[in-house]
Amino acid sequence: MQLKKWLIALPLAMTMLTGCSVLEKLVYRIDINQGNYVEQQSVDQLKFGMSKEQVRFVLGSPMLVENGYPNVWYYIYYHTHGHNKPIQRNLIANFDPQGRLVEVTGDYPVSDAFFESIN
């Protein structure tokens, strides 16, 4: 009689423990996009010395401008695709005290034309 209980309980316990990981992949998860989606084409349009208004026109409004540091703009993009690992891309635009673009850092390379004149 004791053996019959084990023969039923053991497969039932194994099914319950493994079922969670298998069933999770069957549950649909929506794609989640948060922040500023920035394309490389937009970053290629940036030029040294652009005003804040010009940068806002090219890239859109920044995701974050810290209090006390108004000359550093953060463009952060976070994407979760279903059950895959999330992707985060960052772009940081630094301005001088006069509001002119002096540096772009992050996950997007600047173009070779970045230091050309903004005529």
Side-chain angles (χ1 to χ4, degrees):
M1 190 63 144
Q2 191 74 357
L3 184 62
K4 285 185 181 180
K5 288 183 182 177
W6 277 105
L7 289 175
I8 293 172
L10 188 61
L12 183 61
M14 294 299 290
T15 302
M16 292 176 73
L17 290 174
T18 60
C20 295
S21 63
V22 172
L23 288 178
E24 182 198 356
K25 296 292 183 178
L26 296 175
V27 174
Y28 177 73
R29 284 192 180 173
I30 62 170
D31 294 347
I32 300 172
N33 297 309
Q34 295 177 311
N36 303 88
Y37 180 73
V38 176
E39 292 182 346
Q40 184 62 47
Q41 292 174 333
S42 299
V43 177
D44 292 343
Q45 294 177 17
L46 296 176
K47 303 278 188 215
F48 183 86
M50 289 177 90
S51 67
K52 289 183 177 181
E53 292 79 21
Q54 291 170 322
V55 173
R56 189 182 308 266
F57 180 79
V58 172
L59 297 178
S61 295
M63 182 73 177
L64 174 67
V65 178
E66 292 184 72
N67 286 337
Y69 300 97
N71 292 326
V72 180
W73 288 5
Y74 296 91
Y75 291 87
I76 303 167
Y77 176 68
Y78 188 83
H79 174 75
T80 304
H81 182 71
H83 295 280
N84 298 336
K85 288 184 176 182
I87 299 167
Q88 181 170 337
R89 305 276 315 250
N90 302 316
L91 180 109
I92 301 145
N94 293 302
F95 298 89
D96 65 11
Q98 290 75 35
R100 300 289 174 196
L101 183 64
V102 293
E103 182 183 31
V104 176
T105 59
D107 297 322
Y108 300 89
V110 294
S111 70
D112 294 333
F114 179 72
F115 290 104
E116 291 179 4
S117 155
I118 59 169
N119 294 331

